[in-house]
Amino acid sequence: MTLLDKILNHNDEFVSTEQYVKFQTTKFPNKKVVILSCMDTRLIELLPSAMNIKNGDAKIIKNAGAIISHPFGSVMRSILVALYELQADEVMIVGHHGCGMAGLESKSVLEKAATRGVDMQQIRDLEFLGIDVTSFLKGFDKVEDSVRHSVEMVNKHPLLPNDVPVHGLVIHPETGKLDLIIDGYKK
Ligand SMILES: [Zn+2]
């Protein structure tokens, strides 16, 4: 059975036995917060548990590294929509130790892409056209610096309301311990 079949089979049972009932809530976050974190598998349940976030408590955005790489990209848009349309009042950027994006070099990704049959001439053509594939694929050196950088991106955004605290934290992916990097109440 494929993964997709397994998921669909489970889903039939999940819905027919009304297991969804305990998750029912609204689209507005009870704790009025929007959190950006990493897609790391270890954080799926650990992060909300360690932060006492239940279904309905927060808007959670995830990507590789909890990174905001562009002020007008989809992550920043999601944060703004959460703040303006979905009643979030605070932002938390939560990176983590041992992140796959720490020390990631584009060279490693591009080498793998080449062995997977990607046309590398096309990639070189993109570079020629001014698309910086190298920095697009690059991670960060230190998670604390990356979190600080993302907090700054949000704080400096021209569409950010003045009264929104933006916090920066780093979570330990085994213990769930949070290290405070930036206290957004102290602006
Ligand atoms: Zn990560």
Side-chain angles (χ1 to χ4, degrees), residues 36-43 47 62-68 93-105 137-147 150 169-174:
L36 169 64
S37 191
C38 179
M39 66 182 190
D40 194 289
T41 49
R42 295 166 292 182
L43 302 183
L47 181 132
K62 288 190 164 191
N63 67 14
I67 297 170
I68 304 174
I93 312 288
V94 188
H96 69 101
H97 297 292
C99 185
M101 290 301 275
L104 179 75
E105 294 295 340
L137 292 172
K138 194 174 167 15
F140 48 74
D141 295 329
K142 270 190 76 184
V143 64
E144 292 86 354
D145 293 342
S146 174
V147 165
S150 291
L169 301 106
V170 175
I171 191 167
H172 195 289
E174 271 136 44

Side-chain angles (χ1 to χ4, degrees), residues 31 45-55 57-58 178:
K31 294 194 174 171
E45 291 185 63
L46 178 70
L47 181 132
S49 299
M51 296 178 73
N52 195 25
I53 299 286
K54 305 275 193 310
N55 216 44
D57 279 347
L178 288 167

Side-chain angles (χ1 to χ4, degrees), residues 83-166:
L83 292 171
Y84 283 109
E85 298 294 330
L86 298 164
Q87 302 178 3
D89 290 333
E90 304 191 35
V91 181
M92 292 185 186
I93 312 288
V94 188
H96 69 101
H97 297 292
C99 185
M101 290 301 275
L104 179 75
E105 294 295 340
S106 57
K107 192 167 169 278
S108 157
V109 181
L110 290 171
E111 279 171 7
K112 290 186 181 80
T115 64
R116 298 281 287 270
V118 169
D119 178 358
M120 297 315 283
Q121 185 55 49
Q122 214 169 20
I123 305 303
R124 284 188 287 274
D125 291 347
L126 286 174
E127 296 267 7
F128 184 73
L129 290 170
I131 294 169
D132 190 350
V133 179
T134 303
S135 57
F136 169 67
L137 292 172
K138 194 174 167 15
F140 48 74
D141 295 329
K142 270 190 76 184
V143 64
E144 292 86 354
D145 293 342
S146 174
V147 165
R148 273 190 207 97
H149 180 256
S150 291
V151 168
E152 197 178 293
M153 290 272 268
V154 180
N155 268 327
K156 285 189 172 166
H157 201 281
L159 279 166
L160 188 80
N162 282 332
D163 54 351
V164 171
V166 185

